[in-house]
């Protein structure tokens, strides 16, 4: 972990305790997760108890304490997506990748997450891989969507 | 940018912007909001820019990257001015025709026009579209018309004139009373009168006060706040500055959920621009009034939409609500008097100040004034954002504006108000939409999500969906919410999986009463609404699940089977090829069959069959 970048983030927020949520968000942006080592470092530098930092890192859904895969799949489970068959899509992704929601594949290629709502309800059901949106997804389309990322990474 | 240091400066600047823009250029407005972006509108912009450069048309044509037009179903959306030509589902390959036909020769490209699905009639212009005809765009008017990242665009349409009026011709008390008499009620859910809240806070003792805009839009199925923040961020900022002036705050926060990166970006740009020209910062318009705004990003906790939890989150702790009183208007952020309003509420403020409270209160119903933006989604044809006058009926919204139900299916219910709301059945379709009628019907206005359901939606599953959602979002601080949701979820899951018992409906009702009475915050107190409203209106579905073990909507996996209608099946083999369990058999060009023992009800055959031969039994 490059702690210089963490230091820069801490400075950006003036080492303020009240900015801890923003700090953790920015730091998570560096490695895509928060390692215990990083959290301990932040705790020391901010002179803020590790308990409080862990409280926040586990309370808010945006934070991950385990490493994530190269590609993040976000399956939207908002109401409009749910009615459109989001559960069937999620089942299908889980079946293809052999992971459950919140897990990462053994080859660290994909992490599967669910989100409450992406605000793209008019396009339901939606899944997002990294920053690419797929609208009107059905279980039959999933294999094709995911294989594009696999082949791209193998190149 | 030059600093605007007086109201005269402001008007002069506006005048010079308008003069500069007097030229008769063709303007292509293209939506770059999340919905259209998801449908690749960025690629269309790139193609447009290339084509314009290639043809050397830079002086004749300008591209405007706008926010949401509301008709998200048809994205990417493009409007060409001055003729107001409306094109839908534009792709990069259409750009050549658009430039050579429409821009250079004034002809419409017919294949890109909107076609009425029933009459097959084409509509040329944006203002002739039936979807907009019954709408009344007040708050969402600028979105889709202006470039949200350019303050000049906002100034050109009269932006910040309400701020000028408030700061230079009104006292804080006059501002408060104008908002009180406008009748504006909070757009975030509760519907508390905004002016009264401001009056209480302005009278609260203390030198330091805060103002917060809630853009944490957590209700699944709602995205009007996102669109407003993305498409017209300056209107929210202007509303906040006026609010801060009214209550005497010098510091403000906008709390936005991190799932909305474009909204965060556009708000940050707008704040920087307002600071640069002196509309935020010290001594605004030389009136001695100081005010700054910071953005706080939510980190994925639904409960942080609750006001006390949101404030605790801004303070940098895990956002769990606290009991009220003391109300935030007396003791809010860091214990100081604080006003928290929804971003859409703030979006109303500039209009009220500019046009007056009489104008505002003439719109809407007796107790619900103004217009409201709804996100109309689900099984309706024209999904997207709609803004209507309070009191518009559900029928007008779903059938006239929304174009009715998709694929000729039957309307079953409409869910309003997110997880705190309820489901309204067909018998109430002519009900006017306002705060009080919705509450009477067992739902709430909420932030404005309106999710339409048809015969393929299972109402028990919908109730379970919301309870499941809330179970994971409950902060766990108080027992009624934490344990009540857990019990409700277990019972509903049993019903959905075929283990429902006779007593379940009664227990659910009792639990609901207990949670409503004893929960600490609104999340727990309103959590039973989806259950109660579905029991109230769709009791027969609960009974079919419990006694007959049947889910006629084809949602609860244990309670239905997929069968192939042999009359309709033409033996194309698509389902057979795609079935992951090899549960389908049949020869080419002969009717196929599903082996119910092998079928895992993944729904692939159901979604693939073009002849709709796969049925739910």
């Amino acid at each position: 972990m490059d702690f210089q970048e963490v230091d820069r983030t801490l400075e950006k927020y003036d080492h303020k305790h009240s900015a801890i949520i923003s700090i953790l968000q920015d730091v998570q942006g560096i490695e895509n997760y928060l390692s215990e080592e990083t959290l301990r470092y932040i705790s020391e530098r901010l002179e803020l108890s590790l308990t409080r930092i862990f409280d926040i890192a586990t309370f808010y859904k945006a934070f991950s304490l385990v490493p994530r895969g190269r590609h993040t799949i976000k399956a939207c489970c908002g109401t409009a997506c749910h009615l459109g068959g989001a559960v069937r899509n999620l089942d299908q992704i889980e079946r293809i990748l052999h992971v459950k929601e919140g897990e990462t594949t053994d080859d660290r290629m994909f992490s599967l997450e669910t989100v409450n709502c992406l605000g793209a309800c008019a396009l339901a059901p939606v899944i997002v891989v990294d920053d690419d949106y797929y609208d009107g997804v059905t279980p039959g389309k999933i294999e094709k969507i995911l294989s594009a990322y696999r082949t791209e990474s193998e190149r | 940018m030059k600093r605007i240091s007086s109201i005269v400066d402001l008007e002069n600047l506006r005048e010079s912007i308008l003069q500069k823009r007097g030229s008769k250029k063709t303007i292509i407005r293209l939506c770059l909001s999340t919905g259209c972006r998801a449908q690749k509108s960025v690629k269309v912009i790139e193609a447009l820019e290339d084509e314009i450069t290639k043809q050397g048309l830079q002086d004749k044509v300008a591209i405007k990257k706008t926010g949401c037009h509301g008709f998200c179903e048809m994205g990417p959306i493009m409007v060409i001015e001055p003729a107001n030509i409306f094109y839908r589902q534009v792709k990069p390959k259409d750009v050549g025709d658009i430039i050579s036909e429409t821009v250079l020769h004034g002809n419409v490209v017919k294949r890109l026009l909107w076609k009425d699905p029933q009459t097959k009639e084409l509509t040329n212009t944006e203002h002739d579209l039936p979807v907009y005809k019954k709408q009344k765009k007040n708050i969402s008017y600028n979105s889709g018309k202006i470039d949200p990242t350019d303050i000049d665009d906002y100034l050109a349409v009269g932006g910040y004139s309400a701020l000028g009026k408030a700061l230079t011709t009104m006292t804080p008390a006059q501002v408060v009373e104008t908002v009180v008499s406008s009748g504006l009620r909070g757009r975030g859910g509760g519907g508390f009168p905004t002016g009264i809240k401001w009056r209480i806070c302005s009278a609260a003792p203390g030198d330091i006060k805060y103002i917060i805009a809630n853009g944490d839009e957590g209700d699944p199925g709602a995205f009007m706040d996102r669109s407003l923040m993305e498409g017209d961020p300056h209107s929210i900022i202007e509303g906040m500055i006026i609010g801060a002036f009214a209550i005497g705050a010098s510091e403000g926060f906008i709390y936005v959920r991190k799932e909305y990166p474009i909204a965060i970006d556009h708000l940050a740009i707008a704040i920087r621009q307002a600071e640069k020209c002196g509309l935020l910062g010290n001594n605004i318009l030389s009136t001695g009034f100081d005010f700054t705004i910071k953005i706080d990003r939510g980190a994925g906790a639904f409960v942080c939409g609750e006001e006390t939890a949101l404030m605790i989150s801004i303070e940098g702790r895990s956002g769990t609500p606290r009991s009220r009183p003391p109300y935030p208007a007396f003791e809010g952020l860091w214990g100081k008097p604080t006003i928290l309003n929804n971003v859409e509420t703030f979006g109303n403020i500039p209009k009220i100040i500019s046009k007056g409270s009489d104008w505002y209160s003439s719109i809407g119903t007796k107790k619900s004034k103004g217009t409201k933006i709804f996100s109309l989604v689900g099984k309706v044809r024209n999904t997207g954002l709609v803004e209507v006058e309070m009191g518009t009926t559900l029928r007008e919204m779903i059938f006239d504006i929304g174009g009715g139900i998709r694929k000729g299916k039957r309307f079953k219910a409409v869910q309003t108000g997110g997880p705190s709301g309820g489901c309204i059945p067909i018998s109430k379709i002519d009900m006017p939409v306002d705060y009080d009628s919705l509450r009477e019907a067992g739902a709430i206005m909420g932030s404005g999500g309106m999710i339409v359901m048809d015969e393929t939606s299972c109402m028990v599953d919908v109730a379970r969906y919301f309870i499941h959602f809330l179970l994971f979002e409950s902060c766990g601080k108080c027992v009624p919410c934490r344990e009540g949701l857990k019990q409700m979820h277990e019972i509903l899951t049993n019903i959905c999986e075929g283990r429902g018992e006779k007593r379940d409906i009664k227990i659910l009702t009792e639990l609901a009463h207990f949670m409503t009475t004893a929960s600490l915050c609104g999340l727990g107190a309103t959590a039973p609404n989806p259950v109660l409203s579905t029991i109230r209106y769709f009791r027969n579905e609960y009974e079919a699940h419990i006694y007959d073990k049947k889910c006629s909507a084809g949602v609860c996996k244990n309670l239905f089977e997929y069968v192939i209608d042999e009359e309709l099946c033409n033996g194309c083999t698509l389902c057979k090829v795609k079935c992951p369990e090899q549960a389908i058999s049949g020869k080419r060009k002969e009717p196929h069959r599903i082996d119910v023992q092998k079928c895992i009800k993944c729904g692939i055959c159901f979604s693939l069959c073009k002849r709709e031969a796969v049925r739910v039994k």
Side-chain angles (χ1 to χ4, degrees):
Chain A
M1 179 72 192
D2 180 7
F3 286 123
Q4 273 178 344
E5 242 180 289
V6 177
D7 286 333
R8 274 196 291 277
T9 308
L10 297 179
E11 258 157 54
K12 181 177 151 195
Y13 293 101
D14 285 340
H15 293 81
K16 267 191 200 153
H17 289 181
S18 63
I20 182 68
I21 298 171
S22 298
I23 291 172
L24 293 182
Q25 283 183 351
D26 286 9
V27 171
Q28 178 162 284
I30 304 169
E31 279 199 322
N32 221 0
Y33 86 110
L34 297 168
S35 67
E36 187 183 328
E37 188 194 11
T38 309
L39 292 181
R40 284 188 187 281
Y41 183 79
I42 294 173
S43 163
E44 275 166 34
R45 296 305 302 258
L46 286 184
E47 294 178 8
L48 185 65
S49 77
L50 197 58
T51 327
R52 174 143 164 226
I53 292 179
F54 261 90
D55 174 27
I56 288 162
T58 51
F59 179 84
Y60 293 98
K61 216 179 160 186
F63 299 119
S64 173
L65 300 182
V66 289
R68 291 200 248 203
R70 188 181 304 185
H71 303 289
T72 305
I73 306 166
K74 289 186 194 135
C76 181
C77 291
T79 319
C81 289
H82 180 79
L83 291 178
V87 177
R88 282 185 193 146
N89 289 337
L90 186 64
D91 284 351
Q92 181 67 1
I93 301 172
E94 291 181 342
R95 221 176 358 251
I96 292 175
L97 297 180
H98 305 290
V99 289
K100 292 272 164 215
E101 119 177 52
E103 294 176 354
T104 299
T105 53
D106 289 341
D107 59 0
R108 293 275 288 277
M109 186 68 80
F110 293 106
S111 286
L112 176 60
E113 293 174 5
T114 57
V115 283
N116 285 340
C117 183
L118 290 160
C121 315
L123 316 175
V126 174
I127 69 166
V128 179
V129 185
D130 300 335
D131 291 321
D132 305 327
Y133 283 72
Y134 297 91
D135 59 312
V137 179
T138 57
K141 292 183 185 171
I142 291 190
E143 180 85 64
K144 203 177 154 198
I145 293 172
L146 298 184
S147 64
Y149 293 88
R150 263 204 206 102
T151 40
E152 182 198 307
S153 303
E154 276 164 12
R155 256 183 226 146
Chain B
M1 180 171 278
K2 210 180 131 232
R3 192 184 154 85
I4 305 168
S5 48
S6 69
I7 186 108
V8 180
D9 269 8
L10 179 67
E11 292 314 320
N12 286 346
L13 176 63
R14 196 189 318 281
E15 204 45 47
S16 78
I17 293 168
L18 288 173
Q19 261 175 13
K20 245 191 282 170
R21 298 188 167 193
S23 66
K24 288 201 177 111
K25 248 187 181 178
T26 300
I27 295 172
I28 302 179
R29 291 193 268 126
L30 190 84
C31 176
L32 269 188
S33 201
T34 299
C36 283
R37 232 179 243 255
Q39 302 181 83
K40 317 273 186 287
S41 64
V42 175
K43 292 241 156 52
V44 179
I45 288 272
E46 287 166 4
L48 259 181
E49 284 168 344
D50 285 352
E51 189 67 21
I52 288 169
T53 325
K54 209 166 81 190
Q55 300 217 23
L57 295 170
Q58 291 93 326
D59 298 336
K60 292 203 178 101
V61 187
I63 301 173
K64 194 167 286 221
K65 301 168 189 172
T66 72
C68 185
H69 291 243
F71 200 2
C72 310
E73 174 84 25
M74 288 289 147
I77 285 172
M78 178 188 281
V79 180
I80 300 172
E81 302 289 9
N84 197 242
I85 310 287
F86 179 91
Y87 288 148
R88 56 155 185 68
Q89 291 164 318
V90 180
K91 302 206 167 48
K93 66 175 167 57
D94 299 320
V95 161
D97 286 349
I98 291 169
I99 298 287
S100 58
E101 288 297 319
T102 312
V103 174
L104 292 176
H105 294 100
N107 303 323
V108 292
V109 182
K110 281 196 175 156
R111 67 166 194 278
L112 297 174
L113 293 174
W114 183 79
K115 193 203 267 178
D116 189 301
Q118 258 124 36
T119 65
K120 310 290 174 207
E121 243 175 81
L122 298 173
T123 304
N124 280 10
T125 60
E126 187 179 28
H127 37 241
D128 283 332
L129 282 176
V131 69
Y132 295 132
K133 279 269 164 80
K134 283 210 171 177
Q135 295 194 42
K136 195 179 177 84
K137 290 199 172 214
N138 268 337
I139 310 310
S140 57
Y141 183 82
N142 289 339
S143 182
K145 295 204 172 49
I146 64 169
D147 179 347
T149 61
D150 184 357
I151 192 170
D152 282 3
D153 258 27
Y154 185 64
L155 290 167
V157 294
Y160 289 107
S161 58
L163 175 70
K165 183 180 172 185
L167 258 57
T168 58
T169 68
M170 297 168 88
T171 63
Q174 280 170 333
V175 174
V176 170
E177 291 317 309
T178 305
V179 178
V180 171
S181 53
S182 74
L184 172 67
R185 292 168 68 175
R187 296 298 193 238
F192 191 82
T194 306
I196 305 288
K197 212 183 209 182
W198 287 17
R199 193 194 272 161
I200 296 168
C201 189
S202 63
D207 294 335
I208 299 172
K209 290 176 188 178
Y210 296 108
I211 193 155
I212 303 172
N214 186 350
D216 195 43
E217 195 169 55
D219 285 1
F223 59 102
M224 49 275 137
D225 293 353
R226 166 178 71 64
S227 290
L228 194 62
M229 292 185 279
E230 286 177 359
D232 195 12
H234 281 287
S235 71
I236 298 165
I237 292 169
E238 186 178 1
M240 283 182 78
I241 309 174
I242 295 170
F245 172 71
I247 64 157
S250 58
E251 220 179 315
F253 297 86
I254 309 180
Y255 191 91
V256 193
R257 62 199 292 248
K258 64 135 195 125
E259 287 86 346
Y260 290 172
I262 302 166
I264 294 173
D265 190 37
H266 286 187
L267 282 167
I269 293 171
I271 290 171
R272 268 204 306 277
Q273 289 172 342
E275 280 170 350
K276 253 192 190 157
C277 58
L279 294 167
L280 278 173
N282 289 333
N283 199 14
I284 298 168
L285 296 176
S286 305
T287 56
F289 171 61
D290 308 333
F291 183 60
T292 56
I293 297 178
K294 278 200 203 97
I295 297 174
D296 253 272
R297 286 168 296 168
F302 174 74
V303 71
C304 289
E306 197 275 343
E307 60 177 4
T308 59
L310 189 151
M311 288 173 202
I312 290 170
S313 179
I314 292 181
E315 291 172 12
R317 288 180 283 143
S318 48
T320 53
R322 63 161 174 81
S323 63
R324 298 172 300 183
Y327 285 92
F330 293 102
E331 270 180 49
L333 191 61
W334 288 296
K336 308 292 181 198
T338 304
I339 281 297
L340 180 136
N341 287 128
N342 176 268
V343 288
E344 190 186 333
T345 310
F346 283 118
N348 278 276
I349 299 295
K351 299 267 185 252
I352 292 172
I353 299 298
S354 287
K355 299 191 177 182
S357 54
D358 288 346
W359 167 81
Y360 193 86
S361 61
S362 71
I363 306 166
T365 63
K366 198 173 166 216
K367 285 183 172 171
S368 303
K369 300 296 184 190
T371 54
K372 173 83 189 83
I373 313 174
F374 291 92
S375 72
L376 187 63
V377 295
K379 304 297 176 80
V380 70
R381 265 209 195 102
N382 305 329
T383 54
L385 287 187
V386 301
E387 183 175 351
V388 292
E389 183 167 356
M390 292 277 194
T392 306
T393 66
L394 283 170
R395 186 188 295 280
E396 286 173 299
M397 293 185 67
I398 295 163
F399 289 91
D400 298 346
I401 298 172
I405 308 301
R406 281 184 193 183
K407 295 181 185 166
K409 295 246 182 342
R410 272 179 301 126
F411 171 89
K412 188 189 265 185
V414 57
Q415 206 276 348
T416 70
S420 306
C423 296
I424 301 167
I426 184 87
S427 60
K428 304 231 173 228
I429 192 94
D430 289 308
M431 188 183 87
V433 175
D434 60 44
Y435 289 100
D436 310 293
S437 313
L438 283 170
R439 195 172 290 271
E440 233 166 77
I444 59 163
M445 174 84 77
S447 56
M450 198 164 264
I451 297 127
V452 179
M453 300 170 188
D454 67 7
E455 58 208 84
T456 64
S457 315
C458 166
M459 303 316 286
V460 188
D461 173 69
V462 166
R464 178 174 73 143
Y465 165 78
F466 282 115
I467 296 301
H468 177 263
F469 176 93
L470 291 166
L471 176 66
F472 281 88
E473 293 301 339
S474 167
C475 75
K477 189 170 176 176
C478 73
V479 178
C481 176
R482 186 182 67 222
E483 300 302 325
L485 282 167
K486 197 162 182 292
Q487 292 307 319
M488 273 193 164
H489 186 251
E490 207 172 299
I491 295 170
L492 288 166
T493 305
N494 281 341
I495 297 177
C496 289
E497 292 181 355
R499 297 183 302 271
E501 289 177 41
K502 197 179 160 197
R503 56 182 188 164
D504 285 349
I505 296 179
K506 189 168 168 267
I507 299 177
L508 283 173
T509 319
E510 281 171 10
L511 269 172
H513 174 71
F514 164 63
M515 288 167 67
T516 308
T517 326
S519 290
L520 181 63
C521 82
L523 189 146
T526 58
N529 284 355
V531 179
L532 289 176
S533 71
T534 47
I535 291 178
R536 177 169 161 193
Y537 296 121
F538 300 94
R539 198 182 181 98
N540 56 341
E541 281 195 40
Y542 277 85
E543 287 169 350
H545 279 67
I546 295 170
Y547 300 118
D548 310 334
K549 310 291 176 200
K550 280 282 163 210
C551 174
S552 58
V555 176
C556 302
K557 278 189 179 178
N558 295 355
L559 307 183
F560 76 95
E561 281 168 6
Y562 282 122
V563 289
I564 294 177
D565 186 330
E566 300 196 357
E567 302 270 297
L568 287 172
C569 176
N570 65 353
C572 74
T573 73
L574 184 62
C575 59
K576 185 179 152 187
V577 173
K578 294 287 180 185
C579 177
E581 301 297 316
Q582 285 85 43
I584 302 178
S585 58
K587 288 189 182 141
R588 177 172 281 276
K589 296 199 178 159
E590 281 176 24
H592 284 39
R593 282 227 169 115
I594 298 174
D595 181 345
V596 289
Q597 300 300 322
K598 286 187 187 168
C599 176
I600 53 167
K601 291 167 195 158
C602 67
I604 291 181
C605 55
F606 184 73
S607 69
L608 282 177
C609 184
K610 293 194 175 68
R611 301 176 64 90
E612 297 194 10
V614 182
R615 294 265 168 89
V616 168
K617 197 179 126 189

